[in-house]
Amino acid sequence: MLKQLRTVAAVALLTVTTYAVAVEANGTHPETYVVKKGDTLWDIAARFLKKPWLWPEIWQANPQVQNPHLIYPGDVLSLAYLDRVTPQGQVEPGPRQDAPINAVPLSAVEPFLKNLNIVDGFKELPYVVSLEDSRLRASAGQQAYVRGLPDTQPGQRYMVVRPTVRYGQPKPSDDLDARGDATRFSGNLWKSYVASSDRSELLGYELAQVNLGSVTHVAAGEAGVATLLLEDSGREVRAGDRLVPVQAQPYDLQFIPHAPNTTLADGDIRVLAVTDTFTSGGPRDVIAISAGARDGIDNGTVFSIWRSGRHVNDQVAGMASSRADDALKHGAGRVAMPDEYAAHAMVFRTFDKVSYALVMEGTKPARVGYKLKHPDAQ
């Protein structure tokens, strides 16, 4: 599930297109820059642009770079366009001894493109009812017994998936047990989370792939228990895991960073979860956010992440108190503080009501409950 997966994907997996935008230089800059090992497109842009999410402008000004996926350590990029001077030189090739800086193996992003999915429901899916030798867990080479596959045939392959998280609002997420029900009291972590709207809505269930298997036998009779031979030694299967047919999934690896296509109300989109951590994450961490295709969000959408301004007690003009007062809501004697910028994030996979985004860079951790704004928000 999202909390158990962490991407080490460099932001350089992105593909660019040429489009005109107004950019501002971030202070002084050289006329050229030599690409170094470990660079990413975002990092290079952050050195020279006030808005690093506009890094495609660099490649627009270097038309000699025919394929951004083939920029190597040692390549020389022209930055003269920042002074609106037409570049005179050509991109100088590097030694080509290292891998391209933005050639990201599929395995680096595979967990989020292949192994995770967000669905509206799962209770109707076939499920593992027991395991070989009445085991509590099973892995490759062992058998799982499945109910709900009456029409399957020997040889048919399935993914074994596990419902792990329920996303919703105003409470962002609940951990799920083996039955797929919310774990009791798991929502207590989010008791200080307050959404801007009063709506209460299920956003979806996260299904994480835990194994693969092939049907070897289907029992006759009303129960219709099918035998599934497990193939993957990665994660163990348990009773209650669900099954979905194995299907080829096309992966979108071409992301063009851009501002949201639609205007969204302030605070309507929130951070629902952070991968591998409890409540917060930083650059190269993946977050789940409470917006998706229905909200006009698509791959490449860039947001800025903000801590909601608190409402504090004015100790001078208001009532004196020794009690810390850092509330999320208005109240008598409280003064509203401004929102605080935390980071930028870019969406790389979108579902109907939920999306996964990669935290690019920031000045402080991005936390569950933080709100998302336009990338240029001040």
Side-chain angles (χ1 to χ4, degrees), residues 178-340:
R179 294 173 60 91
D181 298 326
T183 302
R184 193 178 183 189
F185 303 126
S186 67
N188 285 354
L189 175 63
W190 322 124
K191 60 184 178 181
S192 63
Y193 170 86
V194 176
S196 60
S197 66
D198 295 328
R199 63 183 177 179
S200 177
E201 182 181 16
L202 171 68
L203 299 178
Y205 296 92
E206 185 179 79
L207 300 182
Q209 178 181 322
V210 295
N211 217 299
L212 294 167
S214 298
V215 173
T216 60
H217 180 261
V218 180
E222 184 177 349
V225 175
T227 301
L228 188 77
L229 180 63
L230 301 176
E231 303 172 2
D232 195 345
S233 59
R235 299 181 64 186
E236 294 180 318
V237 174
R238 71 184 186 192
D241 287 343
R242 265 61 176 185
L243 272 72
V244 295
V246 171
Q247 296 177 345
Q249 300 183 37
Y251 301 132
D252 183 2
L253 294 178
Q254 298 185 1
F255 305 107
I256 303 170
H258 59 274
N261 296 320
T262 56
T263 301
L264 300 170
D266 183 28
D268 262 7
I269 306 179
R270 299 275 178 157
V271 177
L272 296 173
V274 181
T275 180
D276 266 354
T277 57
F278 199 44
T279 60
S280 62
R284 310 301 187 266
D285 279 326
V286 171
I287 59 175
I289 65 173
S290 61
R294 70 166 184 177
D295 305 294
I297 307 303
D298 59 357
N299 289 345
T301 301
V302 178
F303 292 100
S304 54
I305 304 173
W306 295 74
R307 179 181 185 265
S308 296
R310 283 350 190 221
H311 297 81
V312 302
N313 180 40
D314 188 337
Q315 299 284 350
V316 176
M319 182 180 297
S321 174
S322 61
R323 180 175 63 88
D325 190 355
D326 186 18
L328 285 167
K329 294 182 178 180
H330 293 283
R334 294 175 183 164
V335 180
M337 298 293 103
D339 294 342
E340 299 172 357

Side-chain angles (χ1 to χ4, degrees), residues 30-296:
E31 289 190 1
T32 59
Y33 176 76
V34 180
V35 179
K36 299 179 177 60
K37 187 176 182 179
D39 277 340
T40 69
L41 301 179
W42 191 284
D43 294 337
I44 293 173
R47 293 187 180 98
F48 309 115
L49 304 180
K50 289 185 178 180
K51 301 174 182 178
W53 66 276
L54 294 179
W55 54 256
E57 179 79 356
I58 291 179
W59 314 128
Q60 179 179 346
N62 283 273
Q64 302 86 353
V65 181
Q66 297 180 0
N67 186 346
H69 288 287
L70 297 178
I71 297 174
Y72 292 79
D75 285 350
V76 180
L77 304 177
S78 172
L79 301 175
Y81 81 100
L82 292 174
D83 296 323
R84 292 297 177 251
V85 177
T86 302
Q88 299 297 322
Q90 298 288 319
V91 173
E92 299 177 13
R96 299 300 191 264
Q97 295 177 350
D98 298 308
I101 66 166
N102 55 345
V104 178
L106 178 60
S107 59
V109 293
E110 219 172 25
F112 300 96
L113 298 175
K114 177 181 177 181
N115 297 344
L116 292 177
N117 202 4
I118 305 292
V119 297
D120 292 331
F122 61 88
K123 296 277 186 165
E124 74 287 353
L125 294 176
Y127 61 92
V128 176
V129 67
S130 184
L131 300 168
E132 179 180 342
D133 294 329
S134 298
R135 297 171 180 267
L136 296 179
R137 299 288 189 271
S139 188
Q142 297 169 341
Q143 298 179 126
Y145 303 114
V146 180
R147 294 195 69 182
L149 289 175
D151 300 324
T152 191
Q153 299 293 327
Q156 188 165 349
R157 299 183 72 236
Y158 290 88
M159 289 190 298
V160 183
V161 298
R162 180 171 300 163
T164 54
V165 177
R166 180 180 67 185
Y167 291 126
Q169 50 187 2
K171 184 171 62 176
S173 67
D174 281 304
D175 295 337
L176 302 181
D177 59 19
R179 294 173 60 91
D181 298 326
T183 302
R184 193 178 183 189
F185 303 126
S186 67
N188 285 354
L189 175 63
W190 322 124
K191 60 184 178 181
S192 63
Y193 170 86
V194 176
S196 60
S197 66
D198 295 328
R199 63 183 177 179
S200 177
E201 182 181 16
L202 171 68
L203 299 178
Y205 296 92
E206 185 179 79
L207 300 182
Q209 178 181 322
V210 295
N211 217 299
L212 294 167
S214 298
V215 173
T216 60
H217 180 261
V218 180
E222 184 177 349
V225 175
T227 301
L228 188 77
L229 180 63
L230 301 176
E231 303 172 2
D232 195 345
S233 59
R235 299 181 64 186
E236 294 180 318
V237 174
R238 71 184 186 192
D241 287 343
R242 265 61 176 185
L243 272 72
V244 295
V246 171
Q247 296 177 345
Q249 300 183 37
Y251 301 132
D252 183 2
L253 294 178
Q254 298 185 1
F255 305 107
I256 303 170
H258 59 274
N261 296 320
T262 56
T263 301
L264 300 170
D266 183 28
D268 262 7
I269 306 179
R270 299 275 178 157
V271 177
L272 296 173
V274 181
T275 180
D276 266 354
T277 57
F278 199 44
T279 60
S280 62
R284 310 301 187 266
D285 279 326
V286 171
I287 59 175
I289 65 173
S290 61
R294 70 166 184 177
D295 305 294

